[in-house]
Amino acid sequence: MKHSASHIVSRVAASLLGAYAFVWGSVVLGITLLLAAGLPYGEARTVAYLLAFLVFLACFCWTYAAASLVRVWTVLLGGGAAMSGAAWLLARA
């Protein structure tokens, strides 16, 4: 199946920028949850950053394997925004 140049550029952008946004949200939420669980900040940050590598790899690979580009952008950006918002709400509580 031949894809247009804009489709390929969008897929590459999703794999890099969208996955970064998703990982950012997961790191922020992970640190916030680990702090709420009583872990010191340094340990919470280290655990979240170590898991971030695996999350980014999974998001990056899934971006190219998924059939729908709209779903990819929705999940990556929406998930990143939702996790960032949840972390913000938890931090304020």
Side-chain angles (χ1 to χ4, degrees):
M1 180 178 201
K2 187 164 171 92
H3 295 291
S4 67
S6 63
H7 179 85
I8 294 170
V9 168
S10 182
R11 184 93 45 180
V12 170
S15 70
L16 296 174
L17 302 174
Y20 182 83
F22 189 86
V23 169
W24 177 265
S26 69
V27 165
V28 172
L29 182 60
I31 290 172
T32 305
L33 289 173
L34 290 171
L35 286 174
L39 228 60
Y41 176 74
E43 292 179 21
R45 183 187 62 200
T46 301
V47 169
Y49 283 164
L50 288 173
L51 291 174
F53 287 108
L54 298 174
V55 173
F56 185 83
L57 178 62
C59 290
F60 183 86
C61 292
W62 174 71
T63 300
Y64 292 105
S68 172
L69 189 55
V70 172
R71 183 179 308 134
V72 167
W73 277 109
T74 303
V75 168
L76 293 179
L77 293 181
M83 287 185 285
S84 295
W88 181 76
L89 289 174
L90 284 172
R92 292 188 53 99

